[in-house]
Amino acid sequence: MALLRRFNTIRSLYQTLEMHQSSSFLSRSYSSGFSNVSQFYGQGVTSCLYKTQTNALPWTCRNTPTLRSTTAAELLIFLNDKKSLSTQAPTQTRKVGAQISMTSPGFVYEPYALREPIPFWKRYFTRTGWRQTKEDIKSELKSAYAIAKLRKTGYSKQKFYKEAVELYKEISTLVANGDKTSLRKAVTENMFSALKNEIKQRESIWSKVYWELVEPIVKIRTLRARLIGVDKNDLNKAFIQLTLEFLTKEKFEAYDSKGAVVAGDKMKEVLVRSIWVFEKSLFHSGAHWRLCGRIKV
């Protein structure tokens, strides 16, 4: 009996120590973020998970208590996984007077990847399925947290979608016209370098290109949202990246140096699926959305 009481005492002390360390860590670094997400879930974050289409979790609509019971644990995993730019790839900076201003992280954080749908039995009765379900839940929670932070800046989904379509149209038109000067303002530095090379390669083959977007577009939806922290001591200093899927009808035609059509047909509409990543700073005044990456479909 004495040995059993000693064991129970040691276990209680160990659990108390773990709780103290965990609470002190959260209070130092992520207390505000945790309270924000908790408040956001209270306002109905589960509806955000229900609305995801091909990536939706089948059991969320039928088992809400299970989802809510896992949010705290999964959120802690997310907070522990949150990366600072100090450990990432070199960032894009710009000198302003005697100061250095960070204009972009310079990479797409956790780029969206297409996944094959998993049968119900495999998702819930195999280790591989459980592992993917866990990753899907973590991904949805990260997106919900990022959107919650973005909404505090006055974000509106409908307003952003309208702006994103205009950016899609503007950037595609500038690329088709080879207008690199105007293109620089609508994309990040790394994206500008990639598009500039694409324009150079295209101009070596075709002399001129005609491109047109048929409006309204067929479909637009958000696939992923991610926050990239700049300062671990200040959660407000972050960049946000939103991955959008566009389903559009477009017209295309290419010409050689003599003006003859060598590719495409501007009289025909082509259904195009594109996945673009837009980025914005949450701590720069006057920051605007820019294209920072494209995902191959």
Side-chain angles (χ1 to χ4, degrees), residues 175-177 202 206-211 252-255:
V175 171
N177 296 336
R202 188 202 68 211
W206 299 326
S207 177
K208 184 180 178 182
V209 169
Y210 172 88
W211 180 88
F252 168 82
E253 197 169 81
Y255 311 91

Side-chain angles (χ1 to χ4, degrees), residues 82-109:
K82 186 173 181 181
K83 298 181 180 179
S84 171
L85 288 181
S86 60
T87 61
Q88 293 293 330
T91 59
Q92 297 170 8
T93 59
R94 181 180 300 163
K95 285 189 177 182
V96 182
Q99 298 180 345
I100 296 180
S101 175
M102 183 180 299
T103 60
S104 172
F107 62 96
V108 175
Y109 178 47

Side-chain angles (χ1 to χ4, degrees), residues 19 38 53 101 126 133 163 183 197 214 217 236-237 256 271 283 297:
M19 292 174 63
S38 300
Q53 298 177 4
S101 175
T126 64
T133 299
E163 184 179 353
L183 183 63
N197 290 333
V214 180
I217 68 171
N236 292 321
K237 290 185 177 181
D256 61 13
L271 189 63
F283 61 99
V297 179

Side-chain angles (χ1 to χ4, degrees), residues 7 37 55 60 77 92 121 130 132 136 146 156 182 215 243 261:
F7 173 76
V37 175
N55 296 326
T60 53
I77 295 175
Q92 297 170 8
W121 65 268
W130 295 343
Q132 180 164 332
D136 290 344
S156 167
S182 301
E215 298 185 82
T243 303
V261 177

Side-chain angles (χ1 to χ4, degrees), residues 21-36 76 78-80 82 145 149 229 231-237:
Q21 291 176 344
S22 176
S23 62
S24 63
F25 171 75
L26 288 176
S27 63
R28 285 197 311 270
S29 304
Y30 299 108
S31 58
S32 61
F34 189 84
S35 62
N36 291 339
L76 289 178
F78 158 62
L79 293 177
N80 288 331
K82 186 173 181 181
Y145 177 75
K149 292 284 289 185
D231 186 353
K232 64 181 180 181
N233 297 319
D234 186 355
L235 289 177
N236 292 321
K237 290 185 177 181

Side-chain angles (χ1 to χ4, degrees), residues 53-54 165 216-221 245-248 272 274:
Q53 298 177 4
T54 56
V165 172
I217 68 171
V218 179
K219 182 181 179 182
I220 181 174
R221 63 169 179 151
E245 178 188 46
F246 296 89
L247 192 61
T248 59
V272 179
S274 307

